[in-house]
Amino acid sequence: MRYITFALAKGRLASNTMELLEKVGISCEEMKDKNSRKLIFVNEELKLKFFLAKANDVPTYVEYGAADIGFVGKDTILEEGRKLYEVLDLGLGKCRMCIAGPAAAKELLQHGELIRVATKYPNIAKDYFYNKKHQTVEIIKLNGSIELAPIVGLSEVIVDIVETGSTLRENGLEVLEEICSLSARMVVNEVSMKMEQERIAKIIRDLKDVMATT
Ligand code: PRP
């Protein structure tokens, strides 16, 4: 039996995903040692391997088959646009992708003005403004604390994740338009899906069952 390799997005999502996987009997003791600097963890008995990667890299590992299965946010899947199968919504990390800004910026969106949009997600922003809203905008890529952009005058609006909405509220900004809902998803390499059909289908089935009862 060959190993099935899982790529998990580093951070809170990884521990929540491992908790969910444990409920279907997929666990990795080695991974629980927080002091470990190891990058790849193995469960010899179940012939499984696990590794943690930057969220944005998870779809890449899965597309190329370096990981058979990935667990990553829908935001990253949309932004990266990799060739893979999205097979399951884990219902974890629910949030929304939104256009946000000061209330006054609403008008700029309604009138389709040439505005600047700051975001960590240039592909999602481009798709939304160009293909759905048919509005020409200038997209400015940032790497974090996106809410700063309209406050300091870098852009009129932002495209960013909103979870509780407190970051926006505390900075005098608000949701102006909702782009889509987000949550963590399970993704599978296209070849692995065929080659390891039985084992992967069982994992999907088991996860669905456990999610239906919790
Ligand atoms: C995310 C997102 C928002 C915030 C939304 O940022 O980019 O800034 O969380 O959460 P809220 O609606 O509950 O306030 P993250 O903390 O991931 O860091 P970043 O700013 O570096 O992207």
Side-chain angles (χ1 to χ4, degrees):
M1 193 158 67
R2 80 161 181 95
Y3 286 95
I4 285 188
T5 303
F6 293 76
L8 288 94
K10 261 187 208 169
R12 199 163 21 135
L13 184 57
S15 32
N16 291 342
T17 305
M18 283 313 288
E19 260 176 48
L20 189 63
L21 287 172
E22 283 208 4
K23 291 185 187 156
V24 299
I26 295 174
S27 61
C28 186
E29 281 310 305
E30 263 195 333
M31 236 175 145
K32 292 181 181 162
D33 177 6
K34 296 283 172 243
N35 296 320
S36 172
R37 304 288 295 167
K38 274 183 88 164
L39 292 173
I40 187 135
F41 305 94
V42 186
N43 181 328
E44 286 298 348
E45 199 192 325
L46 299 175
K47 285 282 181 274
L48 301 174
K49 286 186 185 169
F50 303 84
F51 65 83
L52 298 172
K54 278 267 195 190
N56 290 53
D57 296 336
V58 169
T60 313
Y61 284 108
V62 174
E63 177 181 310
Y64 285 92
D68 301 290
I69 294 173
F71 292 99
V72 67
K74 178 72 177 175
D75 53 325
T76 310
I77 298 171
L78 289 172
E79 183 60 25
E80 294 300 314
R82 293 283 176 180
K83 264 174 71 69
L84 37 74
Y85 293 133
E86 184 186 315
V87 296
L88 193 61
D89 183 343
L90 301 177
L92 299 170
K94 283 190 183 158
C95 50
R96 301 176 291 157
M97 185 64 74
C98 296
I99 303 182
K106 202 157 205 156
E107 239 173 82
L108 304 173
L109 294 173
Q110 281 157 359
H111 301 143
E113 302 217 13
L114 177 58
I115 50 170
R116 285 186 295 191
V117 180
T119 186
K120 211 158 55 169
Y121 302 92
N123 293 327
I124 294 177
K126 233 177 268 170
D127 179 60
Y128 187 73
F129 275 101
Y130 293 172
N131 301 332
K132 305 219 168 69
K133 281 181 71 73
H134 306 290
Q135 180 173 0
T136 307
V137 294
E138 183 180 345
I139 290 166
I140 303 173
K141 164 90 200 287
L142 289 179
N143 296 296
S145 303
I146 316 297
E147 291 83 356
L148 255 178
I151 299 172
V152 299
L154 176 65
S155 70
E156 280 77 25
V157 299
I158 59 173
V159 165
D160 200 17
I161 288 175
V162 179
E163 194 182 347
T164 61
S166 7
T167 314
L168 290 180
R169 257 192 317 276
E170 287 181 31
N171 292 289
L173 306 171
E174 59 186 64
V175 170
L176 302 173
E177 280 178 29
E178 190 173 318
I179 299 178
C180 61
S181 304
L182 304 167
S183 56
R185 309 291 159 96
M186 173 176 166
V187 294
V188 179
N189 170 267
E190 293 183 346
V191 176
S192 309
M193 195 66 179
K194 293 184 186 75
M195 304 300 283
E196 292 294 336
Q197 207 273 334
E198 221 169 287
R199 287 167 82 195
I200 294 175
K202 178 169 169 23
I203 296 170
I204 298 171
R205 238 181 6 252
D206 289 352
L207 283 171
K208 275 188 185 162
D209 286 348
V210 87
M211 280 161 43
T213 54
T214 48

